[in-house]
Amino acid sequence: MKQIESIEQDFLELLKEMDSYREVIALAQWDMRTKIPKNGVEQRSEVVGFLAHKLHTLETSEQMKSFIDRLKGKTTNEIIKKAVEECEETYNKSSKIPSNEFKEYVMLQSKSEAVWQEAREKADFALFQPYLEQLVEYNKKFANYWGYEDNVYDALLHNFEPGVTTKMLDGVFSKLRTSLTDLVEKVKSSKAKPDPSVLKGHFPKEKQEAFSVEVLKQIGYDFDSGRLDDTIHPFEITLNGSDVRITTRYDEEDFRMAVFGIIHEGGHALYEQNVSKDLARTPLASGTSMGIHESQSLFWENLIGRSKSFWEHYYELFRSYAPDSFKNVSLDEFYRSINEVKPSFIRIEADELTYALHIMIRYELEKGLINGDIAVKDLTDLWNKLMVEYLGIEPPSDREGVLQDIHWAGGDFGYFPSYALGYMYAAQIHHTLADEMNIDKLVASGNFAPILEWLSKNIHQYGKMKKPLEIIEDVTKEQLNPDYLVEYLTKKYTAIYQ
Amino acid sequence: MKQIESIEQDFLELLKEMDSYREVIALAQWDMRTKIPKNGVEQRSEVVGFLAHKLHTLETSEQMKSFIDRLKGKTTNEIIKKAVEECEETYNKSSKIPSNEFKEYVMLQSKSEAVWQEAREKADFALFQPYLEQLVEYNKKFANYWGYEDNVYDALLHNFEPGVTTKMLDGVFSKLRTSLTDLVEKVKSSKAKPDPSVLKGHFPKEKQEAFSVEVLKQIGYDFDSGRLDDTIHPFEITLNGSDVRITTRYDEEDFRMAVFGIIHEGGHALYEQNVSKDLARTPLASGTSMGIHESQSLFWENLIGRSKSFWEHYYELFRSYAPDSFKNVSLDEFYRSINEVKPSFIRIEADELTYALHIMIRYELEKGLINGDIAVKDLTDLWNKLMVEYLGIEPPSDREGVLQDIHWAGGDFGYFPSYALGYMYAAQIHHTLADEMNIDKLVASGNFAPILEWLSKNIHQYGKMKKPLEIIEDVTKEQLNPDYLVEYLTKKYTAIYQ
């Protein structure tokens, strides 16, 4: 019988092969979103399809199954143990779905995305309805294949935020919703509203970029292990732990898009750049979940980047790059304006106070769909009703309502809650960090290193070695608790809106 | 027994797999030379190694051998027939070398490149000598494995310019050498020398780029099927036929580097962009040989780009981008200066009149090495002797002499002649084209389309469907003939140097 060490070595070799495919797929995608000439796309799409198929074949191979069987419960190497668990998850996820059903589903997904695009343009949900009905049915079926303890929707949540359950979300969201709607009401009735029109004015792209690069460097983004490019849809992508790229979009009439966008993507990138190099070339070498990832981007974008102390440090530098009109805007005016609260129809345009309410609407609806409590045909009415209930506004059409997000069209049910979890995680982590150091003082003096070190030591380095809730409990010494987000928002927005 | 059509379909599927690897390897290389952050290189190199190995495995697989056996002499599809020939070449090339020897050789190559680098820095050939000796021995051995009819060196030539033999090169080079050295003598003794100092002056990168992009677009480079970036070492790279990228290097004190460099790489790119799309995803979808490729880049760079008529069309536009000092430079002065002839030590800095002489020196030496007529230890002396004989100058050290090129250190013997062949092909093709249309008139009016169409119809579209000498004979209705290059250079440089 083969020595366990020798099996482990062979297993690591297989992981390297998988990782090589992952890296070139990521490179090809980065290139397709940033640099590729338009006529090159057609063949490139075929190439990416081929590579993704090769990777999928390895992930679900008999060879992989055999490694799992021979190593599970036998290896004493912690990294290999976790890698085996990760591979088993992926293996099971694929192998439990009959291959003909999976093929049909993949075709349905790509068809649905195209139909959704058209339906959104025409603001006509009825076009999309039959596709969404099928997508819901497939997801219900898959959820049953994968299995769950309590609620069928749990099986879908597991794909994005393992460990998080419907029961848990029902609890935290109901607390959060009450507090947020109260706060939004207070803000609405406040007489002391900030004036975001002071933020407008022509701000050349080059100057926005120069300022943003300064910020990125200071918060600790390593340009020797990454780069910044332009795109329509900003993103962070990890080619490898020493090549973590981000993109942004510049609006020359509104610097907020690029500046806060870069800090947001930079937050994702700091996570990826600081995963332990011991995990390189394994499936563990990346952020542990959508929600923890989002906690890092939101931590930097909002809890740091939209804080008063951040601009105490940066406002002078910012003004040296900004249009002259900012000379007449006081730091206080500026700070209040970048934190304006205003209920909006579109999730991705929402401020940090109302954002989680957008998520809760989607959560209630997709949970209902998967549980069979809601019919797809009633979705528009229910969406609009919840918008009025949670945010006090009603979308003028499906384009600004139920058709605004691509997620469901791509079959992604269980994904949305991660965004709201990211907010709660970020606030809870921030609260713990504040017990250990004076964050405001550090930020106001531009000394971000202790903060990044702490995040790296407590979160980043582990990659997927710890599950999301394990991270939260290890770091904050308690379970997920929405009170910290409420506390943070209440304090901040009560001060801004007096 | 399987129908031939079904075997053909399976074969095309295998070719697509190979092509997918080829495309992502090309993308990874492009990225490594243009965009990658420095810390990303280490892991990326491993990834590229893995992909190259996968490709090599397919090229030399039992499955490939079986396709060759089942399709060779049986398929009636012309594209598949040629693709089988191409695959058989690659298969044989690899399978004839014992795998342990190949492994040793690959290690020797990478070691040798590092040693060469050091030797060149120290201008010390003795450091590099033992490595070069081994490289020569391996290449002799490989040449014998591959086989040849007349001269062992032919087997190496075949790798870069199939069909071209030592005997053929001896013939054309001896004619060419006499004519070129005579011409260089005349130029040297001329009293009417152009003054290239008028070409100097600060010329901002952005302006050089803007002008060059104009030129590229007008000669027919399709920016929807390619892009232009900056690098230290300019190159053209084909990701796929609709994604053909070029790079250049800007010297703000001397526009010639970028402007002529871009036209040169653009010439390579026009070839690749215009290969028939019927050949896509097969190994035929690329230029047929190094020499024919070089003929296209040199055609555009020199025969068009350094012609009087080209600048009759462009000089006004050029001056609108160029520094003010060019306002005092007449078109005639400008034209003569960009065509200055001056024997130089370094091949890549050579003008079009002396370039082929540099190649002939390398040809004589590598032919002698492979035939056993020359010992590696005598190389410096022989190099310097030939430099004096051919160009009338003696390198001050090995750095400017025998150690200047990387080719031998990488084991590339038989490669150099392609450069000189490119010059001869270009002039011979130009001569035929001139019989069919008034090139000068078209160029002077900026009407490049008929020229590109003609080149595409007669050369580009075929990709590797025709061998290099087949192209030359089909297009020009005669065999390779160095007289056209001599005629072109004599006419041009007699006029410039009166």
Side-chain angles (χ1 to χ4, degrees):
Chain A
M1 201 182 150
K2 243 186 171 181
Q3 292 288 320
I4 194 91
E5 288 79 11
S6 147
I7 301 171
E8 288 174 354
Q9 282 316 307
D10 293 346
F11 176 61
L12 288 174
E13 279 308 307
L14 176 61
L15 296 187
K16 269 193 199 174
E17 287 201 23
M18 286 162 46
D19 189 60
S20 292
Y21 285 116
R22 184 206 51 73
E23 175 160 342
V24 284
I25 292 168
L27 173 62
Q29 284 170 337
W30 172 83
D31 188 68
M32 285 175 91
R33 297 195 205 167
T34 55
K35 307 287 178 193
I36 200 169
K38 76 173 193 202
N39 296 338
V41 172
E42 195 182 327
Q43 183 169 321
R44 176 70 59 77
S45 305
E46 284 184 37
V47 169
V48 171
F50 165 77
L51 296 166
H53 175 72
K54 295 299 275 187
L55 175 54
H56 182 77
T57 304
L58 292 179
E59 286 171 344
T60 57
S61 61
E62 279 308 307
Q63 191 193 7
M64 176 56 86
K65 178 81 175 75
S66 151
F67 277 124
I68 295 168
D69 292 342
R70 285 180 294 163
L71 291 169
K72 197 180 163 186
K74 287 164 198 134
T75 180
T76 54
N77 176 314
E78 268 306 302
I79 292 176
I80 291 182
K81 191 172 152 241
K82 294 283 181 185
V84 168
E85 283 172 24
E86 199 62 33
C87 290
E88 190 180 18
E89 278 265 350
T90 309
Y91 181 87
N92 284 342
K93 204 183 156 209
S94 291
S95 61
K96 285 184 179 167
I97 299 177
S99 65
N100 62 323
E101 285 183 29
F102 186 72
K103 261 192 196 159
E104 285 160 19
Y105 181 64
V106 170
M107 285 190 291
L108 175 65
Q109 273 175 318
S110 69
K111 187 81 217 279
S112 299
E113 285 190 16
V115 173
W116 165 76
Q117 201 114 29
E118 193 193 338
R120 188 176 65 156
E121 272 160 33
K122 295 185 177 162
D124 182 2
F125 180 73
L127 271 179
F128 182 49
Q129 185 186 318
Y131 292 88
L132 187 54
E133 280 165 353
Q134 287 185 65
L135 287 163
V136 168
E137 285 316 305
Y138 272 107
N139 272 276
K140 277 179 175 175
K141 225 195 288 188
F142 293 172
N144 278 299
Y145 291 144
W146 293 326
Y148 56 90
E149 282 190 12
D150 191 28
N151 187 308
V152 57
Y153 180 67
D154 290 352
L156 303 178
L157 282 174
H158 183 82
N159 290 336
F160 301 97
E161 212 60 23
V164 169
T165 61
T166 311
K167 198 173 159 192
M168 190 185 298
L169 287 180
D170 282 341
V172 293
F173 281 168
S174 87
K175 277 176 102 170
L176 193 58
R177 197 192 124 205
T178 316
S179 309
L180 293 186
T181 44
D182 282 359
L183 259 173
V184 172
E185 277 314 308
K186 276 187 199 144
V187 159
K188 268 192 198 162
S189 59
S190 159
K191 300 243 151 48
K193 291 205 169 70
D195 173 17
S197 74
V198 301
L199 304 177
K200 300 291 178 76
H202 188 77
F203 195 153
K205 190 200 132 183
E206 293 69 33
K207 300 246 171 173
Q208 292 189 39
E209 187 179 348
F211 173 71
S212 304
V213 165
E214 273 294 304
V215 172
L216 277 177
K217 283 183 184 166
Q218 287 192 28
I219 65 175
Y221 177 79
D222 178 4
F223 274 94
D224 283 339
S225 299
R227 49 178 291 127
L228 170 64
D229 293 270
D230 279 19
T231 39
I232 306 278
H233 302 288
F235 62 93
E236 174 276 316
I237 194 164
T238 302
L239 283 75
N240 64 59
S242 302
D243 186 358
V244 180
R245 304 183 184 187
I246 58 176
T247 71
T248 196
R249 178 177 175 184
Y250 297 93
D251 178 347
E252 295 203 314
E253 304 311 316
D254 190 341
F255 74 91
R256 289 175 293 181
M257 165 153 343
V259 170
F260 293 110
I262 283 175
I263 304 175
H264 182 94
E265 302 307 334
H268 284 301
L270 289 177
Y271 191 177
E272 296 284 318
Q273 285 187 337
N274 290 296
V275 169
S276 165
K277 294 293 177 275
D278 295 344
L279 306 178
R281 313 232 59 188
T282 78
L284 306 168
S286 184
T288 190
S289 73
M290 259 292 303
I292 298 289
H293 236 301
E294 204 64 14
S295 80
Q296 297 307 293
S297 53
L298 293 171
F299 179 91
W300 289 102
E301 179 194 353
N302 289 334
L303 287 91
I304 303 294
R306 290 185 206 262
S307 71
K308 186 77 169 276
S309 43
F310 186 83
W311 291 100
E312 280 166 12
H313 172 60
Y314 274 118
Y315 198 44
E316 201 179 309
L317 183 72
F318 175 82
R319 285 209 275 202
S320 75
Y321 288 102
D324 284 345
S325 58
F326 281 89
K327 299 233 158 66
N328 305 318
V329 182
S330 71
L331 171 61
D332 192 58
E333 232 179 322
F334 179 84
Y335 165 69
R336 295 182 67 230
S337 299
I338 60 169
N339 285 295
E340 191 208 13
V341 172
K342 199 177 170 184
S344 64
F345 300 123
I346 305 294
R347 174 183 61 86
I348 58 166
E349 293 169 5
D351 52 77
E352 61 174 342
L353 189 51
T354 57
Y355 191 92
L357 293 167
H358 287 266
I359 295 307
M360 285 181 241
I361 292 172
R362 288 150 180 81
Y363 166 72
E364 292 300 335
L365 295 175
E366 65 178 26
K367 181 180 68 173
L369 288 170
I370 299 298
N371 276 288
D373 302 329
I374 292 178
V376 171
K377 70 172 168 48
D378 301 326
L379 219 48
T380 295
D381 287 348
L382 289 169
W383 181 286
N384 294 347
K385 189 174 147 276
L386 287 174
M387 278 295 288
V388 173
E389 206 177 311
Y390 288 22
L391 287 154
I393 54 176
E394 188 172 351
S397 88
D398 290 343
R399 193 188 298 117
E400 296 83 14
V402 67
L403 288 174
Q404 68 184 271
D405 295 308
I406 196 175
H407 302 59
W408 291 339
D412 286 335
F413 295 86
Y415 186 126
F416 279 122
S418 307
Y419 293 113
L421 286 165
Y423 271 94
M424 290 184 276
Y425 294 157
Q428 189 164 340
I429 290 165
H430 187 267
H431 184 266
T432 303
L433 179 62
D435 282 345
E436 299 198 20
M437 55 187 82
N438 187 333
I439 302 177
D440 280 336
K441 200 172 152 194
L442 289 168
V443 170
S445 63
N447 185 10
F448 301 102
I451 298 172
L452 177 59
E453 262 169 46
W454 188 91
L455 292 170
S456 296
K457 182 170 150 269
N458 289 286
I459 302 168
H460 302 168
Q461 65 155 325
Y462 294 110
K464 288 187 197 287
M465 289 289 284
K466 291 186 179 185
K467 296 288 177 197
L469 296 178
E470 205 180 338
I471 292 270
I472 294 303
E473 286 161 32
D474 286 355
V475 175
T476 69
K477 309 291 177 229
E478 67 174 306
Q479 296 201 319
L480 172 63
N481 183 345
D483 293 347
Y484 297 111
L485 178 59
V486 172
E487 191 181 296
Y488 157 73
L489 293 172
T490 305
K491 194 172 156 209
K492 177 169 177 178
Y493 288 93
T494 307
I496 291 173
Y497 283 85
Q498 285 141 21
Chain B
M1 200 184 151
K2 243 188 174 179
Q3 291 287 322
I4 193 92
E5 287 79 12
S6 147
I7 302 172
E8 288 174 354
Q9 282 315 309
D10 293 347
F11 176 61
L12 288 174
E13 279 307 308
L14 176 59
L15 296 187
K16 269 193 198 172
E17 287 200 22
M18 285 161 48
D19 188 60
S20 292
Y21 284 116
R22 184 206 52 72
E23 175 160 341
V24 285
I25 292 168
L27 173 63
Q29 285 170 337
W30 171 82
D31 188 68
M32 284 174 91
R33 297 195 206 165
T34 54
K35 307 287 178 193
I36 200 170
K38 76 173 194 199
N39 296 339
V41 172
E42 194 182 327
Q43 183 169 321
R44 177 70 58 78
S45 305
E46 283 184 37
V47 169
V48 171
F50 165 76
L51 296 166
H53 175 73
K54 294 299 275 187
L55 175 56
H56 182 78
T57 304
L58 292 179
E59 286 171 343
T60 56
S61 60
E62 280 307 307
Q63 191 193 8
M64 175 55 85
K65 178 81 176 73
S66 152
F67 277 122
I68 296 168
D69 292 341
R70 285 181 292 163
L71 290 169
K72 196 180 164 185
K74 288 169 196 127
T75 181
T76 54
N77 176 315
E78 269 306 302
I79 292 176
I80 291 181
K81 192 172 151 242
K82 294 283 181 184
V84 169
E85 283 172 27
E86 199 63 33
C87 289
E88 191 180 18
E89 278 264 349
T90 309
Y91 182 86
N92 284 340
K93 206 185 154 205
S94 291
S95 62
K96 285 183 179 167
I97 299 178
S99 65
N100 62 323
E101 285 184 27
F102 186 72
K103 261 192 196 158
E104 286 160 19
Y105 181 64
V106 171
M107 285 190 292
L108 175 65
Q109 274 174 318
S110 70
K111 187 83 218 276
S112 299
E113 285 190 17
V115 173
W116 164 79
Q117 202 113 29
E118 193 194 338
R120 189 176 66 155
E121 271 159 33
K122 295 186 175 159
D124 183 0
F125 180 74
L127 271 179
F128 181 47
Q129 185 186 317
Y131 292 88
L132 187 53
E133 279 164 354
Q134 287 184 67
L135 287 163
V136 169
E137 285 316 306
Y138 272 107
N139 271 276
K140 278 179 172 173
K141 225 195 289 189
F142 293 171
N144 277 299
Y145 291 144
W146 293 325
Y148 56 90
E149 282 190 13
D150 192 27
N151 187 308
V152 57
Y153 181 65
D154 291 352
L156 302 177
L157 282 174
H158 183 82
N159 290 336
F160 302 98
E161 212 59 21
V164 169
T165 62
T166 312
K167 199 172 157 193
M168 191 184 298
L169 287 181
D170 282 340
V172 295
F173 281 167
S174 89
K175 278 176 98 170
L176 193 58
R177 197 193 125 202
T178 315
S179 309
L180 293 185
T181 44
D182 282 0
L183 260 173
V184 172
E185 277 314 308
K186 275 186 203 147
V187 160
K188 270 192 198 163
S189 61
S190 159
K191 301 242 150 49
K193 292 205 168 69
D195 173 17
S197 74
V198 300
L199 304 177
K200 300 290 178 76
H202 188 77
F203 195 154
K205 189 198 133 185
E206 293 69 31
K207 300 245 171 176
Q208 293 189 40
E209 187 179 347
F211 173 71
S212 303
V213 166
E214 274 293 304
V215 172
L216 277 176
K217 283 183 183 165
Q218 286 191 29
I219 65 175
Y221 177 79
D222 178 4
F223 274 93
D224 284 340
S225 299
R227 50 178 290 128
L228 170 65
D229 293 270
D230 280 18
T231 38
I232 307 277
H233 302 288
F235 63 93
E236 173 275 317
I237 195 164
T238 302
L239 282 74
N240 64 59
S242 302
D243 187 358
V244 180
R245 305 184 183 187
I246 58 177
T247 71
T248 196
R249 178 177 173 183
Y250 297 93
D251 178 347
E252 295 203 314
E253 305 310 317
D254 190 342
F255 74 91
R256 289 175 294 182
M257 165 151 346
V259 171
F260 292 110
I262 283 174
I263 304 176
H264 183 94
E265 301 308 333
H268 282 302
L270 290 177
Y271 192 179
E272 295 283 319
Q273 285 187 335
N274 290 296
V275 169
S276 166
K277 294 293 177 276
D278 295 344
L279 306 178
R281 314 232 58 190
T282 78
L284 306 167
S286 185
T288 190
S289 74
M290 258 293 303
I292 297 290
H293 236 303
E294 203 65 12
S295 80
Q296 297 308 292
S297 53
L298 294 171
F299 179 91
W300 288 102
E301 180 194 352
N302 290 333
L303 287 91
I304 303 294
R306 289 185 207 262
S307 71
K308 185 77 168 279
S309 44
F310 186 83
W311 291 100
E312 280 166 11
H313 172 62
Y314 274 118
Y315 198 43
E316 202 178 309
L317 183 73
F318 175 83
R319 284 210 275 202
S320 75
Y321 288 102
D324 284 345
S325 58
F326 281 89
K327 298 234 159 64
N328 305 318
V329 182
S330 71
L331 171 61
D332 192 58
E333 230 178 324
F334 179 83
Y335 166 69
R336 295 181 67 229
S337 299
I338 60 168
N339 284 296
E340 191 207 14
V341 172
K342 200 175 170 187
S344 64
F345 300 123
I346 305 294
R347 174 182 61 86
I348 58 166
E349 292 168 6
D351 53 76
E352 60 173 341
L353 189 52
T354 57
Y355 192 92
L357 294 167
H358 287 266
I359 295 307
M360 285 182 242
I361 292 171
R362 287 150 181 80
Y363 167 71
E364 292 299 335
L365 296 175
E366 65 178 25
K367 182 180 66 172
L369 288 170
I370 299 298
N371 276 288
D373 302 330
I374 291 177
V376 171
K377 70 173 170 41
D378 300 326
L379 219 48
T380 293
D381 287 346
L382 289 168
W383 180 286
N384 294 347
K385 192 174 146 279
L386 287 174
M387 277 296 287
V388 172
E389 205 177 310
Y390 288 21
L391 286 155
I393 54 176
E394 188 171 350
S397 88
D398 291 342
R399 194 188 298 116
E400 296 82 13
V402 67
L403 287 174
Q404 68 184 271
D405 296 307
I406 196 176
H407 302 59
W408 292 340
D412 287 334
F413 295 86
Y415 185 126
F416 280 121
S418 308
Y419 294 113
L421 286 164
Y423 270 94
M424 291 185 277
Y425 294 157
Q428 188 164 339
I429 290 165
H430 187 267
H431 184 266
T432 303
L433 179 62
D435 282 345
E436 299 197 19
M437 56 187 82
N438 187 333
I439 301 176
D440 280 337
K441 202 172 150 194
L442 289 168
V443 170
S445 63
N447 184 10
F448 301 102
I451 298 173
L452 177 58
E453 264 169 44
W454 188 91
L455 292 170
S456 296
K457 184 172 147 268
N458 288 286
I459 301 169
H460 303 167
Q461 64 157 324
Y462 294 110
K464 287 187 198 286
M465 289 289 284
K466 291 186 180 187
K467 295 288 177 197
L469 296 178
E470 205 179 339
I471 291 270
I472 294 302
E473 286 161 33
D474 286 354
V475 175
T476 69
K477 311 293 179 224
E478 66 174 306
Q479 297 201 318
L480 172 63
N481 183 346
D483 292 348
Y484 297 111
L485 178 58
V486 172
E487 192 181 297
Y488 156 73
L489 293 171
T490 306
K491 195 173 155 208
K492 176 168 177 178
Y493 288 94
T494 307
I496 291 172
Y497 284 85
Q498 286 143 17

